[in-house]
């Protein structure tokens, strides 16, 4: 897989990241290494091997449908950089 | 023939059903609607580092119920995936959903379109968590985020593109709403957003095979809007194609005020949700015994009751449809019939009189608090020719409904509605009425036979509804022959 500028741009867009050209080159190198490693593993023939999706053998870890109030509104808003008494505020995300 | 007649519309729906659980899908905060903003959250819902989701067992049970009702195979082994995207009302930066192995596989729902039954195929049903709510119109500068809804359990029911008219789409949605109310998995309240849908719409020339590109109309919360959006898109897409344009796959929103759909601002790059299995949740392994237990506890479904009502009680399909609109109405009807085995009479009385009363008062059958045994007694009075039907509907029932604990027969006596069986009483009234209209009697006898109805009306009125119309009619005929 070729790590080109187009791919970096797409990943940056999806991850909502911004960086300069110098960082971009470093990222490119890191990615080449990581993807190269995965491509190496991909050489293995896994045709008849079931994918291992969950690490634990555990299944059906259920919780009863019971309401518990864990935090108050003030706590919920505490870490928001912008807020009023009721809401978290964010820069306007749609244009009308 | 207009150009529109050459085309047909193709509709597929993605229906989101908010489940009626007390707590959220993966956290114990309340899932109730209508709390103050950000009242119902927790560190799990807020996506704080180090917190882990834990699955609500009730949501799984509801998903299984819905799947069984829609004839879907239940996937015994299923698990959750992460759907990754950034939006301010999605605290974790991903939505926990099901992608590769949704809980319910392909099924179908049969809907009644006019006289015909049509099968709408279900592609699959999956569980997912809802996002929070963004308010964009409260402030000039900011969007406001309320996370009460974040994490509320949803089922997404995805259909195949099997609907061919706005009518079919709205019948399908209404049938789904009826079903979820029967199953009690959701309140189905569209105004409060418990039932919402995305609507995929395309058009094609009739008789051609391939589908054209479609428009996806997002997030509609009323059957009327769906209907309007389909009608609008049908015309818009045909106009576009006929004027040489090309339909591109796009997402649109419905503007309820103007009744139009508008393109939503497209992102410069296509969505890429990068689904992968949710590592924080154990997979589900649903045993046969578990599924069987749920199946056993399922109520009779609307189509089963409709069939029962037409077969066992010999009702018309139309009457059976009305009486099975809600589970409560259907159960009530059956209890009344158990006490007064004249199903047709009970059905007529419930549809024409009781339902009219409920609509008028804007209450449900439970809220009317009419003991079914008492209603059965009231209808019995009509069956046994003690009170005539009209009087029972217009006079006896309205009085009875005011205090449904009273005995219907005693009430009929108090109101003077018990029919007189004595021929002399009936004859007396007939003579009185005929004596009041000697000229009309003459006219009748010389051939104006259509005056008969007028005489009958007068007689019934003069008796205060106490005459059995059949007996009255017979006596009047005899009297006029004299």
């Amino acid at each position: 897989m070729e790590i080109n500028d187009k791919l970096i741009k797409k990943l940056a867009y999806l991850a909502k990241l911004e960086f300069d050209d110098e960082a971009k080159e470093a990222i490119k190198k890191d990615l080449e290494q990581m993807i190269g490693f995965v491509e190496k593993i991909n050489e293995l023939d896994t045709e008849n091997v079931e994918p291992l999706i969950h690490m634990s053998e555990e299944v059906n870890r259920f919780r009863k449908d019971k309401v518990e109030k864990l935090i108050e509104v003030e706590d919920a808003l505490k870490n928001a950089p912008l807020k009023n008494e009721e809401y978290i505020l964010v820069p306007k995300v749609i244009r009308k | 023939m207009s150009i529109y007649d050459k085309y047909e519309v193709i509709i597929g729906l993605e229906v989101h059903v908010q489940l009626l659980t007390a707590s959220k899908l993966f956290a114990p905060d309340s899932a109730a609607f209508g709390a103050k903003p950000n009242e119902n959250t927790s560190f799990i819902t807020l996506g704080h580092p180090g917190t882990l989701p834990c699955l609500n067992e009730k949501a799984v049970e509801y998903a299984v119920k819905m799947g069984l009702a829609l004839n879907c195979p239940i996937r015994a082994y299923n698990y959750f995936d992460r759907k990754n995207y950034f939006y301010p009302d999605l605290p974790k930066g991903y939505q926990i959903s099901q992608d590769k192995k949704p809980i319910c596989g392909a099924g179908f729902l049969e809907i009644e379109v006019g006289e015909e039954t049509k099968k709408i195929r279900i592609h699959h049903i999956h569980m997912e968590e809802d996002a929070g709510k963004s308010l964009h119109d409260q402030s000039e500068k900011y969007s406001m985020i309320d996370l009460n809804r974040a994490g509320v359990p949803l089922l997404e029911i995805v259909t195949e593109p099997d609907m061919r008219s706005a009518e079919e789409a709205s019948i399908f949605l209404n049938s789904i709403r009826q079903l979820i109310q029967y199953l009690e998995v959701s309140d189905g309240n569209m105004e409060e957003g418990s039932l919402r849908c995305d609507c995929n719409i395309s058009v094609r020339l009739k008789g051609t095979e391939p589908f054209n590109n479609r428009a996806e109309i997002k997030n509609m919360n009323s059957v009327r809007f769906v209907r309007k959006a389909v009608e609008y898109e049908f015309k818009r897409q045909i106009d576009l194609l006929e004027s040489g344009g090309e339909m591109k796959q796009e997402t649109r929103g419905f503007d309820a005020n103007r009744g139009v759909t508008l393109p939503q601002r497209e992102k410069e790059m296509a969505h890429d949700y990068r689904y992968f299995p949710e590592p924080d949740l154990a997979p589900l392994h649903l045993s046969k015994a578990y599924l069987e237990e749920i199946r056993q506890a399922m109520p009779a479904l609307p189509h089963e009751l409709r069939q029962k009502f037409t077969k066992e009680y010999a009702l018309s399909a139309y009457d059976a449809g009305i009486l099975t609109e809600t589970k409560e109405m259907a159960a009530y009807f059956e209890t009344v019939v158990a006490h007064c085995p004249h199903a047709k009479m009970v059905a007529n009385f419930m549809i024409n009189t009781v339902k009219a009363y409920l609509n008028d008062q804007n209450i449900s059958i439970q809220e009317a608090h009419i003991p079914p045994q008492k209603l059965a007694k009231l209808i019995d009075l009509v069956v046994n020719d003690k009170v005539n039907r009209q009087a029972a509907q217009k006079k006896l029932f309205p009085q009875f409904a005011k205090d449904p604990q009273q005995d219907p027969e005693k009430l009929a006596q108090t109101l003077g509605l018990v029919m007189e069986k004595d021929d002399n009483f009936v004859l007396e009234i007939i003579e009185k009425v005929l004596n009041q209209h000697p000229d009309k009697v003459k006219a009748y006898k010389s051939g104006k036979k259509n005056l008969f109805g007028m005489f009958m009306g007068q007689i019934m009125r003069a008796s205060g509804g106490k005459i059995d119309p059949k007996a009255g009619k017979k006596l009047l005929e005899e009297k006029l022959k004299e």
Side-chain angles (χ1 to χ4, degrees):
Chain A
M1 188 177 194
E2 196 204 340
I3 313 298
N4 54 25
D5 282 1
K6 203 177 146 205
L7 180 66
I8 303 261
K9 196 177 157 205
K10 184 185 169 192
L11 292 175
Y13 166 77
L14 289 171
K16 297 265 185 290
L17 291 176
E18 271 177 354
F19 38 77
D20 57 25
D21 280 353
E22 198 182 326
K24 190 169 87 183
E25 287 311 313
I27 287 168
K28 212 189 234 174
K29 232 182 220 149
D30 282 351
L31 273 177
E32 267 163 7
Q33 265 187 10
M34 285 184 260
I35 288 173
F37 175 65
V38 173
E39 276 175 348
K40 184 77 197 156
I41 295 175
N42 261 341
E43 287 171 15
L44 281 172
D45 178 12
T46 54
E47 184 142 7
N48 293 314
V49 181
E50 278 288 309
L52 174 68
I53 294 171
H54 297 92
M55 296 300 155
S56 159
E57 303 270 303
E58 192 178 31
V59 295
N60 300 341
R61 239 191 116 235
F62 290 134
R63 174 177 62 78
K64 293 262 177 251
D65 182 26
K66 232 182 84 197
V67 174
E68 268 178 84
K69 192 161 176 65
L70 299 178
I71 57 171
E72 300 297 328
V73 182
E74 304 85 75
D75 304 318
L77 301 179
K78 208 173 232 167
N79 287 329
L82 273 173
K83 63 198 154 196
N84 61 22
E85 298 82 62
E86 296 181 298
Y87 293 98
I88 298 161
L89 304 182
V90 297
K92 213 159 226 186
V93 285
I94 62 166
R95 240 171 277 157
K96 284 247 161 176
Chain B
M1 190 165 129
S2 90
I3 51 156
Y4 300 115
D5 296 329
K6 290 195 286 183
Y7 286 85
E8 66 176 347
V9 68
I10 317 284
I11 307 161
L13 297 176
E14 290 163 29
V15 185
H16 292 89
V17 180
Q18 211 174 73
L19 296 178
L20 205 56
T21 55
S23 65
K24 292 185 178 175
L25 187 52
F26 302 114
D29 19 331
S30 166
F33 177 84
K36 277 190 262 159
N38 293 304
E39 187 93 11
N40 298 333
T41 71
S42 64
F43 27 80
I44 300 164
T45 300
L46 294 170
H48 281 250
T51 59
L52 288 172
C54 191
L55 181 58
N56 185 337
E57 62 177 3
K58 204 89 199 165
V60 178
E61 181 192 322
Y62 287 173
V64 171
K65 273 190 183 170
M66 194 76 226
L68 292 175
L70 291 177
N71 308 291
C72 303
I74 308 300
R75 189 174 269 119
Y77 170 70
N78 68 91
Y79 58 81
F80 287 92
D81 296 281
R82 286 189 186 178
K83 178 180 179 176
N84 300 280
Y85 67 94
F86 285 114
Y87 203 74
D89 56 26
L90 188 73
K92 295 190 297 299
Y94 57 85
Q95 177 193 29
I96 304 180
S97 179
Q98 294 192 298
D99 179 44
K100 285 261 161 25
K101 305 272 182 199
I103 185 159
C104 308
F108 64 88
L109 175 65
E110 285 182 333
I111 60 170
E112 310 290 329
V113 185
E115 299 285 289
E116 276 170 43
T117 301
K118 184 167 178 182
K119 198 181 256 189
I120 307 296
R121 288 171 301 155
I122 307 293
H123 181 273
H124 76 269
I125 306 174
H126 69 254
M127 298 180 274
E128 63 184 25
E129 56 178 345
D130 209 342
K133 226 156 100 183
S134 304
L135 297 125
H136 301 295
D137 49 8
Q138 309 276 310
S139 131
E140 279 294 302
K141 266 176 86 180
Y142 300 110
S143 290
M144 299 190 178
I145 310 298
D146 173 7
L147 295 174
N148 284 344
R149 205 181 62 186
V152 168
L154 297 178
L155 288 184
E156 182 170 334
I157 303 167
V158 181
T159 78
E160 297 285 356
D162 283 353
M163 285 152 274
R164 293 291 177 272
S165 65
E167 171 85 12
E168 288 182 13
S170 47
I171 293 172
F172 178 84
L173 274 175
N174 281 327
S175 303
I176 289 284
R177 178 161 53 179
Q178 186 188 33
L179 214 44
I180 61 184
Q181 285 169 344
Y182 262 72
L183 297 171
E184 295 177 59
V185 299
S186 167
D187 61 21
N189 187 329
M190 292 192 92
E191 290 73 47
E192 293 179 2
S194 312
L195 187 63
R196 324 192 280 271
C197 81
D198 302 339
C199 196
N200 290 302
I201 305 169
S202 67
V203 299
R204 72 175 169 197
L205 282 168
K206 282 180 188 163
T208 59
E209 264 306 313
F211 292 139
N212 279 314
N213 280 336
R214 59 172 193 258
E216 181 177 8
I217 320 299
K218 283 289 203 192
N219 216 1
M220 280 178 286
N221 67 344
S222 126
V223 176
R224 199 163 49 89
F225 292 169
V226 170
R227 190 182 270 274
K228 281 195 162 165
V230 170
E231 282 161 4
Y232 180 83
E233 273 298 304
F234 181 62
K235 288 224 160 76
R236 185 187 72 83
Q237 294 185 19
I238 293 169
D239 290 344
L240 179 73
L241 293 172
E242 285 289 325
S243 63
E246 210 174 301
M247 211 12 232
K248 61 171 194 258
Q249 201 109 335
E250 62 174 349
T251 305
R252 298 173 76 89
F254 181 70
D255 181 336
N257 294 326
R258 292 161 55 200
V260 302
T261 69
L262 297 166
Q264 288 185 338
R265 209 153 55 89
E266 293 286 312
K267 307 214 168 76
E268 56 269 43
M269 264 182 262
H271 280 301
D272 182 351
Y273 292 124
R274 294 150 292 146
Y275 282 100
F276 65 87
E278 166 59 83
D280 288 344
L281 284 164
L284 295 175
H285 220 123
L286 308 175
S287 69
K288 279 207 175 107
Y290 171 81
L291 297 179
E292 198 45 42
E293 199 183 310
I294 294 177
R295 191 194 298 276
Q296 294 295 338
M298 298 260 289
L301 299 179
H303 73 274
E304 292 165 340
L305 285 178
R306 280 200 301 270
Q307 210 168 32
K308 180 178 181 194
F309 285 14
T310 50
K311 282 216 174 108
E312 247 172 65
Y313 303 131
L315 302 187
S316 70
Y318 179 79
D319 287 355
I322 294 180
L323 291 171
T324 54
E325 265 170 22
T326 68
K327 184 163 69 171
E328 291 73 24
M329 184 59 111
Y332 189 90
F333 168 76
E334 292 207 276
T335 317
V336 177
V337 172
H339 289 90
C340 169
H342 298 265
K344 265 201 164 136
M345 187 74 105
V346 173
N348 283 337
F349 201 85
M350 280 191 59
I351 292 169
N352 297 322
T353 310
V354 180
K355 249 199 125 222
Y357 167 78
L358 299 177
N359 290 346
D360 195 51
Q361 304 280 314
N362 199 15
I363 53 174
S364 68
I365 188 73
Q366 305 100 290
E367 289 166 329
H369 297 296
I370 300 172
Q373 299 85 338
K374 290 266 164 84
L375 184 70
K377 264 191 154 180
L378 193 156
I379 298 172
D380 255 338
L381 295 173
V382 181
V383 173
N384 298 327
D385 287 331
K386 284 195 176 151
V387 173
N388 98 44
R389 194 157 55 91
Q390 279 243 327
Q393 289 182 336
K394 297 231 162 83
K395 292 184 181 152
L396 181 55
F397 181 79
Q399 280 303 318
F400 168 70
K402 283 184 191 163
D403 172 15
Q405 297 308 322
Q406 46 193 331
D407 178 57
E409 183 156 12
K410 270 191 201 138
L411 180 63
Q413 275 158 2
T414 315
L415 295 173
L417 295 173
V418 177
M419 284 197 282
E420 282 293 344
K421 295 278 175 181
D422 183 359
D423 278 0
N424 287 330
F425 171 84
V426 183
L427 277 172
E428 216 172 276
I429 290 176
I430 291 177
E431 271 165 20
K432 206 173 108 198
V433 168
L434 294 185
N435 286 339
Q436 282 166 354
H437 302 283
D439 45 334
K440 297 246 168 70
V441 174
K442 217 186 243 169
Y444 177 88
K445 286 186 172 170
S446 61
K448 286 196 81 175
K449 298 291 183 210
N450 56 1
L451 282 167
F452 191 86
M454 190 279 295
F455 288 134
M456 262 317 280
Q458 295 260 343
I459 289 161
M460 291 309 293
R461 210 165 305 139
S463 78
K466 282 164 83 173
I467 292 179
D468 173 8
K470 276 173 281 175
K473 196 173 158 226
K474 199 166 141 250
L475 288 172
L476 177 63
E477 272 166 357
E478 280 166 19
K479 197 79 200 161
L480 285 168
K481 274 186 200 143
E482 281 173 10

